[in-house]
Amino acid sequence: MHNLWIPVVAIFVVTGLIFGGQAYSESQRDAHIAETISERLNSQAPAEISNLATVNKGYGVCGDYALSGAESGRFYYNSNTKRLAVGTDAPLYRDNCESVYN
């Protein structure tokens, strides 16, 4: 019975590392998106992002952003190419996010 606990504990540790690493990676991605939006819009304050939706089999993110100056809008970010489209009139946004919000 004692030998049974070793594989069980190992499975839980590996599972924790996998899901913990994924959560950490997503939080880094979100921070990078917020920083990139702030830079693109020449804002000193970081953007706040919300209503995130994963598109394109996990390679893209659609969402809303808000800046401290009451400016807000929508964005699309491609995690693979690191391309950002700000605003609903951007072609990348229309191609990837219109169906998510309509």
Side-chain angles (χ1 to χ4, degrees):
M1 185 70 171
H2 183 265
N3 291 335
L4 180 64
W5 286 105
I6 294 171
V8 170
V9 169
I11 289 170
F12 280 120
V13 168
V14 169
T15 302
L17 289 173
I18 291 171
F19 288 113
Q22 184 177 2
Y24 179 72
S25 176
E26 286 180 8
S27 69
Q28 281 186 322
R29 179 203 63 200
D30 295 351
H32 176 70
I33 292 171
E35 180 181 327
T36 305
I37 290 171
S38 296
E39 289 173 2
R40 174 79 53 90
L41 299 176
N42 295 323
S43 173
Q44 298 297 328
E48 292 186 28
I49 58 176
S50 59
N51 300 326
L52 301 180
T54 304
V55 295
N56 297 340
K57 299 181 183 177
Y59 289 108
V61 178
C62 299
D64 298 333
Y65 71 88
L67 296 172
S68 61
E71 182 179 349
S72 63
R74 292 194 167 158
F75 71 90
Y76 167 74
Y77 180 77
N78 186 312
S79 300
N80 194 30
T81 63
K82 310 288 190 238
R83 292 180 66 192
L84 174 71
V86 178
T88 57
D89 57 339
L92 276 175
Y93 178 87
R94 285 194 312 261
D95 292 345
N96 295 286
C97 300
E98 265 190 353
S99 62
V100 174
Y101 294 107
N102 289 334

